[in-house]
Amino acid sequence: MWHRLGAPPVFHVLEVGAGDGALARSIVSACRQLTLGFAQALRYIAADYEPQWTPSTGHRIDLDSRTAADEPDLSLKIQQVKASGLRAFRNVTGCILSNELIDNFPVHRFAIQNGSVKEVYVTLEGGKFTEVLDEPSTTGIAGRLADLSLSDGYRGEVNLAVEDWTRDVSRTLDRGYVLTIDYGLPAAELYAPENNQGRLICFHQHAVQQDPYQRIGQQDITCHVDFTALMRLGEQHGLTTAGYIPQRDFLINLGFADCLESPDSQGLSAARAAINRMAMMALVDPEQYGDLKVLVQAKGAALDGELLGFPRP
Ligand SMILES: C[S@@+](CC[C@H](N)C(=O)[O-])C[C@H]1O[C@@H](n2cnc3c(N)ncnc32)[C@H](O)[C@@H]1O
């Protein structure tokens, strides 16, 4: 991406939903093995709304253009920011990155009844959460489903929050790329007949739970991302789709096989190297993380030439 932008002296990676910074630290430390010019250009901003993050500002941050000459330690280049979404940021040249963020966004649940779209609302009955179907609170739900033919009884979810997200991404990014890694499918697969009970899943202490009305506030509620919607919205906001691929293929194209062999050469014990290898295999296993999707969108950036991780054009 840096090369395709013409090797700018400052390249920002703005990760939204950086969590505990695991991906941020991995990326920055891997940069040591890349072109020196890129390592010097990189400024990594790790943003998250979780309170454990250092609250550096609540205001808009105009990312500046300092040089890296006085920052020899690359780990210093991760700036932690407490922020929700992207509204605090402007003037990014580089890459807006998210990994498992968009599947966290709140969704509307719908059901098809007598050939029309109803929204699933929640009420209390006898002290218990109960679902009721009624007219949708927004036309956006039916709008998103317009191209699909869903039969009566079909239930699913629509993530309308990606509309504001995509607009904010486009506003924040001056020039560069949006790299989105998440669980999801194109609309035709996401809303296929076999998914007629939707793709909302809850996680509690790493175990999958089906019922979102249990353990309120204590379990993670996630929903598969509609990548067709993300791409279409992007095109409306000046973000051109540059690549879309399963994580498994993305990592293989990036040289996964070589990385798999490298733990041995780093002086690790055989047992530790085997554990590392198993963890790495999970990243490409379609039953685990291999089926995550990787989407790259571009704004004001060259689309010709090779984008690492994707098949050669
Ligand atoms: C699964 S974690 C991502 C971990 C991280 N990206 C990584 O790969 O190491 C999702 C994170 O997104 C954050 N998050 C969810 N919605 C957000 C939002 N609107 N703005 C900022 N952070 C958000 C959560 O606090 C959580 O830390």
Side-chain angles (χ1 to χ4, degrees), residues 15-23 47-50 83-85 99-101 104-105:
E15 185 188 354
V16 182
D20 61 5
L23 182 63
D48 202 291
Y49 61 31
E50 285 290 285
S84 176
N99 183 41
E100 293 189 43
L101 169 75
N104 282 275
F105 288 178

Side-chain angles (χ1 to χ4, degrees), residues 241-283:
T241 300
Y244 171 74
I245 198 171
Q247 170 167 287
R248 174 189 163 81
D249 300 333
F250 182 66
L251 294 179
I252 289 171
N253 292 340
L254 285 174
F256 179 80
D258 293 340
C259 292
L260 197 59
E261 293 314 315
S262 66
D264 286 331
S265 60
Q266 291 171 2
L268 299 177
S269 69
R272 185 70 232 175
I275 291 169
N276 276 7
R277 232 177 261 122
M278 269 171 60
M280 289 170 75
M281 287 305 293
L283 296 174

Side-chain angles (χ1 to χ4, degrees), residues 181-253:
I181 307 167
D182 226 312
Y183 294 99
L185 293 164
E189 290 173 47
L190 184 60
Y191 298 109
E194 61 268 26
N195 290 328
N196 65 3
Q197 294 307 303
R199 296 300 296 253
L200 190 103
I201 305 172
C202 308
F203 291 94
H204 182 63
Q205 293 172 352
H206 302 292
V208 174
Q209 310 285 338
Q210 298 300 342
D211 187 350
Y213 307 121
Q214 298 292 317
R215 295 168 285 273
I216 303 298
Q218 290 169 21
Q219 61 181 3
D220 240 6
I221 303 179
T222 74
C223 191
H224 264 41
V225 173
D226 172 353
F227 275 95
T228 303
L230 216 49
M231 290 184 232
R232 277 193 191 150
L233 287 163
E235 302 284 342
Q236 287 166 20
H237 290 278
L239 304 169
T240 308
T241 300
Y244 171 74
I245 198 171
Q247 170 167 287
R248 174 189 163 81
D249 300 333
F250 182 66
L251 294 179
I252 289 171
N253 292 340

Side-chain angles (χ1 to χ4, degrees), residues 132-151:
V132 275
L133 301 188
D134 210 333
E135 292 309 312
S137 57
T138 157
T139 54
I141 302 173
R144 188 68 72 71
L145 304 172
D147 294 345
L148 303 158
S149 114
L150 305 175
S151 16

Side-chain angles (χ1 to χ4, degrees), residues 82-146:
K82 184 180 179 208
S84 176
L86 276 167
R87 298 214 173 142
F89 303 96
R90 286 289 182 281
N91 305 128
V92 170
T93 291
C95 177
I96 294 177
L97 165 66
S98 70
N99 183 41
E100 293 189 43
L101 169 75
I102 295 175
D103 69 338
N104 282 275
F105 288 178
V107 290
H108 291 262
R109 305 184 85 189
F110 69 86
I112 307 296
Q113 194 180 54
N114 302 325
S116 63
V117 177
K118 302 286 182 205
E119 183 160 356
V120 179
Y121 293 90
V122 185
T123 187
L124 270 179
E125 244 172 43
K128 285 186 117 184
F129 289 116
T130 311
E131 293 183 347
V132 275
L133 301 188
D134 210 333
E135 292 309 312
S137 57
T138 157
T139 54
I141 302 173
R144 188 68 72 71
L145 304 172

Side-chain angles (χ1 to χ4, degrees), residues 6-28:
V10 172
F11 181 94
H12 281 108
V13 172
L14 170 56
E15 185 188 354
V16 182
D20 61 5
L23 182 63
R25 285 191 299 277
S26 295
I27 290 177
V28 168

